[in-house]
Amino acid sequence: MCILLLRGNQSGFLQPQFRFQSRRSMSQLHNLLLDSLLGTKHIDSAALIKLQEKSLCVTSPGFNIMPSDIQTLVNGFAKNPLQTRREGLYFKEKDYKCVRADDYSLYAKNGNTGVVVVKTRLHLLVATYVAGMYPSICVEATEKLGEYLRKKGN
């Protein structure tokens, strides 16, 4: 079982505290996604995509990602980052301007909404934010969870 607690440190940044046991079920991954990302109140929806199968592993309630959207996100990492930044992303029937693209992260926005995608060895971690949410907290929480998953070999 994996539990992630996000607590503010003295400088106001979220600090992850993890507890991990050897077996993780889909339910535990789902709880990890809900607790560590949606728990910030600055992430509207989140999903974990299996890279190799290009399929959804877990998702937050009501967040449906079409296979074409999964392919778009996978392709965003397969392309040259400069090309992805130039072209942007078409995700969930919206055009997003790409503001960051590198080997491990894609950040894209459309007005006051956006999507943050973090790549690990086995997964893509996807988080979205909407108006009234702080994109910086969405980025920080998603990147920290991605870093944690990479350290665990995922």
Side-chain angles (χ1 to χ4, degrees), residues 14-120:
L14 298 174
Q15 194 66 36
Q17 297 178 344
F18 300 98
R19 294 193 179 107
F20 188 76
Q21 294 175 352
S22 61
R23 295 191 71 213
R24 274 188 297 171
S25 70
M26 291 302 225
S27 175
Q28 291 163 334
L29 279 172
H30 188 259
N31 289 340
L32 177 65
L33 205 66
L34 293 177
D35 294 344
S36 64
L37 297 181
L38 273 59
T40 67
K41 305 292 186 214
H42 291 279
I43 294 175
D44 182 57
S45 51
L48 194 62
I49 296 169
K50 295 178 190 176
L51 265 174
Q52 191 166 4
E53 294 90 357
K54 296 178 184 155
S55 64
L56 283 174
C57 182
V58 293
T59 184
S60 59
F63 189 44
N64 300 315
I65 302 178
M66 300 300 293
S68 60
D69 289 326
I70 292 172
Q71 189 62 51
T72 296
L73 297 177
V74 170
N75 288 347
F77 285 100
K79 295 177 186 177
N80 179 330
L82 182 59
Q83 182 181 357
T84 301
R85 279 195 297 267
R86 263 189 251 146
E87 293 176 1
L89 291 174
Y90 185 74
F91 179 72
K92 297 198 61 72
E93 301 181 358
K94 285 186 186 177
D95 282 313
Y96 286 85
K97 177 183 178 191
C98 191
V99 294
R100 177 178 177 169
D102 60 36
D103 291 339
Y104 295 104
S105 304
L106 291 176
Y107 305 165
K109 66 179 188 170
N110 177 316
N112 52 9
T113 65
V115 61
V116 176
V117 186
V118 174
K119 181 181 174 187
T120 70

Side-chain angles (χ1 to χ4, degrees), residues 14 37 40-44 112-114 116 128-142:
L14 298 174
L37 297 181
T40 67
K41 305 292 186 214
H42 291 279
I43 294 175
D44 182 57
N112 52 9
T113 65
V116 176
T128 65
Y129 62 88
V130 295
M133 295 180 171
Y134 291 113
S136 59
I137 294 175
C138 178
V139 166
E140 181 181 6
T142 308

